[in-house]
Amino acid sequence: MKSKLMLLIFLIYSSVVGAAGLASAETLFADPNIPNGETITYVSRVGDKVVTVVEKVVIKREGEKELYEITSRSNSLDKTIVLERNSMAVVSVRTVRKYQEVTLDSHLTVIDEKEQFGIDEVKLADFTIMNYLFRGFPFGKLEKLKIGSYREGQKDDYPLNVTSKKREKIEVNKRTIECYKLELGMDGFWGRFFPKTNMWYSVEPPHYLVRYKGQSGRPGSPKRTVELETYTVSK
């Protein structure tokens, strides 16, 4: 049980920028209206190590559906994420991890996902892109969201939660941005040992991530800070 919990915690903290699928095409998340051609540069810091992450968004059409294709590139990790635009439901995630010894390529495709959510709860097919989905969080409408996962033989429990906190003004790169603050934690006994993760998203749509503060991996690992460097939209 403990080993499974530790694995779950590690997967969650791997979701930081530079490093989720929801239950159906109708979810609690909403379209944040990300513009086509959006490009965001982030700076990720873990101790003395600094990594630049560049994210780009292209809006595509597949039949009658509009999709967000999000690419994230850094010198250690590449991701290509496809989301349904109206619901932020995950279509696919491709991840390329670049190590000194090997490069690992993995692909997740969500097929025939059944409705698995309630008024204040969702199940995620992949935790590693949680921070992208939170751009569509129902800010101002929901205070706390329970989060569960798909696991063999799992009961309908939702051990994780994300709580909407008070708005804060964040200073990054000589700019002041008013933000919604989200706090990710764990319910129950294990919550005492689960470090909180905080994420700040711009109040102004399209609710892009401005700052992240949390662990860089398993509990006890060095803290990671991710901050917005530049935000542009190409025409």
Side-chain angles (χ1 to χ4, degrees), residues 31-35 38 135 180 202-208 231:
D31 178 14
N33 293 310
I34 303 173
E38 177 190 80
R135 292 185 71 170
Y180 294 115
S202 66
V203 169
E204 183 180 352
H207 308 310
Y208 51 87
Y231 180 95

Side-chain angles (χ1 to χ4, degrees), residues 136-144 164-165 167 180-182 203 207:
F137 189 91
F139 298 109
K141 299 178 181 179
L142 187 65
E143 181 179 349
K144 188 174 182 179
S164 180
K165 314 296 280 188
R167 294 186 184 187
Y180 294 115
K181 181 181 179 180
L182 295 180
V203 169
H207 308 310

Side-chain angles (χ1 to χ4, degrees), residues 17-19 42 44 49-54 72-79 96-100 102-104 224:
V17 172
Y42 292 99
S44 173
K49 185 178 180 180
V50 180
V51 175
T52 298
V53 183
V54 179
S72 176
R73 301 283 184 263
S74 74
N75 59 10
S76 60
L77 181 70
D78 293 342
K79 277 187 176 292
V96 178
R97 294 179 175 86
K98 295 173 279 188
Y99 302 102
Q100 288 184 350
V102 66
T103 298
L104 303 178
R224 181 192 299 270

Side-chain angles (χ1 to χ4, degrees), residues 111-149:
I111 301 173
D112 193 27
E113 199 169 20
K114 303 299 189 300
E115 184 175 299
Q116 296 283 346
F117 65 92
I119 296 175
D120 61 350
E121 58 191 31
V122 295
K123 282 188 177 181
L124 305 183
D126 182 354
F127 282 111
T128 66
I129 59 167
M130 190 184 300
N131 56 303
Y132 297 95
L133 300 181
F134 287 161
R135 292 185 71 170
F137 189 91
F139 298 109
K141 299 178 181 179
L142 187 65
E143 181 179 349
K144 188 174 182 179
L145 178 64
K146 300 175 184 177
I147 302 173
S149 64

Side-chain angles (χ1 to χ4, degrees), residues 18-233:
L22 292 176
S24 74
E26 257 181 80
T27 72
L28 294 174
F29 295 109
D31 178 14
N33 293 310
I34 303 173
N36 186 52
E38 177 190 80
T39 301
I40 308 178
T41 302
Y42 292 99
V43 175
S44 173
R45 294 181 174 86
V46 180
D48 295 331
K49 185 178 180 180
V50 180
V51 175
T52 298
V53 183
V54 179
E55 297 182 354
K56 296 184 179 182
V57 178
V58 176
I59 296 176
K60 296 188 174 183
R61 182 174 291 276
E62 187 176 282
E64 296 182 355
K65 294 181 179 179
E66 282 194 331
L67 307 173
Y68 287 128
E69 183 182 80
I70 305 168
T71 57
S72 176
R73 301 283 184 263
S74 74
N75 59 10
S76 60
L77 181 70
D78 293 342
K79 277 187 176 292
T80 302
I81 304 150
V82 180
L83 308 174
E84 289 189 16
R85 180 176 180 178
N86 68 326
S87 64
M88 301 295 281
V90 170
V91 176
S92 65
V93 181
R94 182 183 180 186
T95 304
V96 178
R97 294 179 175 86
K98 295 173 279 188
Y99 302 102
Q100 288 184 350
E101 303 88 351
V102 66
T103 298
L104 303 178
D105 188 342
S106 62
H107 196 129
L108 168 73
T109 301
V110 178
I111 301 173
D112 193 27
E113 199 169 20
K114 303 299 189 300
E115 184 175 299
Q116 296 283 346
F117 65 92
I119 296 175
D120 61 350
E121 58 191 31
V122 295
K123 282 188 177 181
L124 305 183
D126 182 354
F127 282 111
T128 66
I129 59 167
M130 190 184 300
N131 56 303
Y132 297 95
L133 300 181
F134 287 161
R135 292 185 71 170
F137 189 91
F139 298 109
K141 299 178 181 179
L142 187 65
E143 181 179 349
K144 188 174 182 179
L145 178 64
K146 300 175 184 177
I147 302 173
S149 64
Y150 293 108
R151 289 180 290 152
E152 188 70 26
Q154 174 190 343
K155 296 180 180 180
D156 289 333
D157 62 339
Y158 294 81
L160 301 177
N161 64 75
V162 59
T163 304
S164 180
K165 314 296 280 188
K166 291 183 179 180
R167 294 186 184 187
E168 294 183 4
K169 291 184 178 181
I170 300 298
E171 292 188 12
V172 291
N173 199 26
K174 300 181 180 179
R175 294 177 56 195
T176 299
I177 303 174
E178 187 172 7
C179 295
Y180 294 115
K181 181 181 179 180
L182 295 180
E183 183 178 85
L184 179 68
M186 176 174 281
D187 288 328
F189 172 80
W190 289 105
R192 307 179 204 176
F193 309 99
F194 188 90
K196 301 292 186 183
T197 295
N198 291 300
M199 292 160 281
W200 290 262
Y201 292 85
S202 66
V203 169
E204 183 180 352
H207 308 310
Y208 51 87
L209 182 70
V210 174
R211 177 181 289 167
Y212 166 98
K213 283 189 175 182
Q215 303 295 120
S216 59
R218 297 177 183 272
S221 61
K223 293 186 180 297
R224 181 192 299 270
T225 300
V226 178
E227 288 192 343
L228 174 73
E229 182 74 10
T230 62
Y231 180 95
T232 60
V233 178

